[in-house]
Short mmCIF file of all heavy atoms in Angstrom, two decimals:
data_model
loop_
_atom_site.label_atom_id
_atom_site.label_comp_id
_atom_site.label_asym_id
_atom_site.label_seq_id
_atom_site.Cartn_x
_atom_site.Cartn_y
_atom_site.Cartn_z
N LYS J 968 259.88 -95.85 93.43
CA LYS J 968 260.99 -96.12 94.35
C LYS J 968 260.66 -97.31 95.26
O LYS J 968 261.50 -98.18 95.49
CB LYS J 968 261.27 -94.86 95.19
CG LYS J 968 262.49 -94.95 96.05
CD LYS J 968 262.73 -93.61 96.75
CE LYS J 968 263.99 -93.67 97.58
NZ LYS J 968 264.26 -92.39 98.24
N ASN J 969 259.43 -97.36 95.75
CA ASN J 969 259.01 -98.47 96.61
C ASN J 969 259.01 -99.79 95.85
O ASN J 969 259.46 -100.81 96.37
CB ASN J 969 257.62 -98.20 97.21
CG ASN J 969 257.65 -97.16 98.29
OD1 ASN J 969 258.66 -96.94 98.94
ND2 ASN J 969 256.52 -96.50 98.49
N VAL J 970 258.50 -99.80 94.63
CA VAL J 970 258.46 -101.02 93.83
C VAL J 970 259.88 -101.51 93.53
O VAL J 970 260.18 -102.70 93.68
CB VAL J 970 257.66 -100.81 92.51
CG1 VAL J 970 257.87 -101.97 91.55
CG2 VAL J 970 256.20 -100.62 92.82
N VAL J 971 260.74 -100.60 93.13
CA VAL J 971 262.13 -100.98 92.81
C VAL J 971 262.81 -101.53 94.06
O VAL J 971 263.50 -102.55 94.00
CB VAL J 971 262.91 -99.78 92.23
CG1 VAL J 971 264.40 -100.10 92.08
CG2 VAL J 971 262.32 -99.37 90.88
N SER J 972 262.58 -100.91 95.19
CA SER J 972 263.17 -101.38 96.44
C SER J 972 262.63 -102.74 96.85
O SER J 972 263.39 -103.66 97.17
CB SER J 972 262.89 -100.35 97.54
OG SER J 972 263.29 -100.84 98.79
N ASP J 973 261.32 -102.89 96.81
CA ASP J 973 260.67 -104.12 97.29
C ASP J 973 260.84 -105.32 96.37
O ASP J 973 260.95 -106.45 96.84
CB ASP J 973 259.17 -103.89 97.50
CG ASP J 973 258.88 -102.96 98.66
OD1 ASP J 973 259.81 -102.63 99.42
OD2 ASP J 973 257.71 -102.56 98.81
N TYR J 974 260.83 -105.11 95.07
CA TYR J 974 260.77 -106.21 94.13
C TYR J 974 262.01 -106.38 93.25
O TYR J 974 262.15 -107.40 92.57
CB TYR J 974 259.53 -106.09 93.24
CG TYR J 974 258.26 -106.11 94.04
CD1 TYR J 974 257.56 -104.94 94.31
CD2 TYR J 974 257.76 -107.30 94.57
CE1 TYR J 974 256.40 -104.95 95.07
CE2 TYR J 974 256.61 -107.32 95.33
CZ TYR J 974 255.93 -106.14 95.57
OH TYR J 974 254.79 -106.16 96.33
N PHE J 975 262.89 -105.39 93.24
CA PHE J 975 264.05 -105.46 92.35
C PHE J 975 265.37 -105.18 93.07
O PHE J 975 266.35 -104.79 92.44
CB PHE J 975 263.86 -104.50 91.17
CG PHE J 975 262.68 -104.85 90.31
CD1 PHE J 975 261.46 -104.22 90.48
CD2 PHE J 975 262.78 -105.84 89.34
CE1 PHE J 975 260.36 -104.55 89.70
CE2 PHE J 975 261.69 -106.18 88.55
CZ PHE J 975 260.48 -105.53 88.73
N GLY J 976 265.38 -105.36 94.38
CA GLY J 976 266.61 -105.18 95.14
C GLY J 976 267.21 -103.80 95.01
O GLY J 976 268.44 -103.65 95.01
N SER J 977 266.36 -102.79 94.89
CA SER J 977 266.78 -101.38 94.73
C SER J 977 267.64 -101.15 93.48
O SER J 977 268.41 -100.20 93.41
CB SER J 977 267.52 -100.88 95.98
OG SER J 977 266.66 -100.89 97.09
N SER J 978 267.52 -102.03 92.49
CA SER J 978 268.31 -101.92 91.27
C SER J 978 267.42 -101.60 90.07
O SER J 978 266.59 -102.40 89.66
CB SER J 978 269.05 -103.24 91.02
OG SER J 978 269.60 -103.27 89.73
N TYR J 979 267.66 -100.42 89.49
CA TYR J 979 266.92 -100.05 88.29
C TYR J 979 267.37 -100.90 87.10
O TYR J 979 266.60 -101.14 86.17
CB TYR J 979 267.06 -98.54 88.01
CG TYR J 979 266.27 -97.73 89.02
CD1 TYR J 979 266.84 -97.33 90.22
CD2 TYR J 979 264.95 -97.43 88.78
CE1 TYR J 979 266.10 -96.62 91.16
CE2 TYR J 979 264.19 -96.72 89.70
CZ TYR J 979 264.78 -96.32 90.89
OH TYR J 979 264.04 -95.64 91.82
N LYS J 980 268.61 -101.37 87.15
CA LYS J 980 269.10 -102.30 86.12
C LYS J 980 268.26 -103.58 86.13
O LYS J 980 267.89 -104.09 85.07
CB LYS J 980 270.57 -102.62 86.39
CG LYS J 980 271.19 -103.56 85.39
CD LYS J 980 272.66 -103.79 85.75
CE LYS J 980 273.22 -104.97 84.99
NZ LYS J 980 274.59 -105.28 85.43
N ASN J 981 267.92 -104.06 87.32
CA ASN J 981 267.06 -105.24 87.43
C ASN J 981 265.68 -104.97 86.86
O ASN J 981 265.06 -105.87 86.29
CB ASN J 981 266.95 -105.71 88.88
CG ASN J 981 268.23 -106.33 89.40
OD1 ASN J 981 269.13 -106.66 88.65
ND2 ASN J 981 268.30 -106.48 90.72
#
Side-chain angles (χ1 to χ4, degrees):
K968 188 176 182 179
N969 287 335
V970 168
V971 172
S972 172
D973 291 350
Y974 300 102
F975 297 97
S977 296
S978 168
Y979 288 89
K980 181 179 166 186
N981 289 346

